[in-house]
Structure formats: structure tokens, C-alpha cells
Amino acid sequence: MAAQPITKDSTNLLIHSDNIKAMRTLTEHLGSVIQCLIIDPEKPKSKSRDAFDQFAQDLDECLRLGARLLSDTGAVFIHADDRSLVVAKNAAEKAFQAANFLNMVIL
């Protein structure tokens, strides 16, 4: 089956892709219409400062793009491990302002 084109009328999309690549593509086709955005960014492969700096840059860009996609009533969920949790929270506060933070779920 061929993939359907993405439009503002598209509903219930599940996209398996690199986060930034998907966000860039979606911002070309959609406005602020997404109600729920769940991202699982690639975690740093090492504990080096460079690896965490790259993770922070990538997550900043991903969430900045995500902020353009979310509707005013939308929510974003970020999957982060214990080593990247602080970086993820800081990036989310930059993209969405700290006042919009609702809760952190730790499993």
C-alpha cells in the first residue's frame, strides 16, 4: 500500500523515523495541529561531554520544531533515561517555557 500524503486533515499518524528528520518534514506540511507528540530521542552513546552536548543540541532542535507543530492544547511526552533526564527537561523548558511543565513520570 502506498503512503498517503500528509495534510492538515491527516489523523492518527504514527511515524517511525529519526526525530529531527520527521519534525522537519511535518513542519513543511502541518501547522500547529498536533495534539500529542511522543518522542524517543537517541540517547548519548557515551558519557563524554561531547556526546551529551550533541544530544542537547539535537533535542533542542527537535523540541523547537515540535513546539511549532503542537496545538495550544497539545502535549509532548519525551522518553529519557536517567542519564539524559536533566538535559531533556532543560531542553523542554527552553522550547515550551517552564510554566507549561505538568509532570514527570518515572518508571
Side-chain angles (χ1 to χ4, degrees), residues 19 38-44 51-64 76-98 100-106:
N19 287 313
I38 302 170
I39 63 168
D40 185 9
E42 185 174 342
K43 310 309 180 280
F52 275 90
D53 287 347
Q54 185 62 52
F55 173 73
Q57 286 177 347
D58 291 346
L59 192 55
D60 282 344
E61 181 177 0
C62 182
L63 292 176
R64 181 182 53 77
V76 62
F77 297 87
I78 306 165
H79 178 253
D81 63 13
D82 58 338
R83 292 186 306 144
S84 58
L85 182 62
V86 172
V87 175
K89 187 167 187 311
N90 289 338
E93 286 180 351
K94 271 198 274 186
F96 300 103
Q97 291 86 45
N100 290 317
F101 177 76
L102 294 177
N103 204 350
M104 183 180 308
V105 177
I106 299 175

Side-chain angles (χ1 to χ4, degrees), residues 65-78:
L65 291 167
R68 292 174 50 198
L69 290 168
L70 277 179
S71 72
D72 290 340
T73 59
V76 62
F77 297 87
I78 306 165

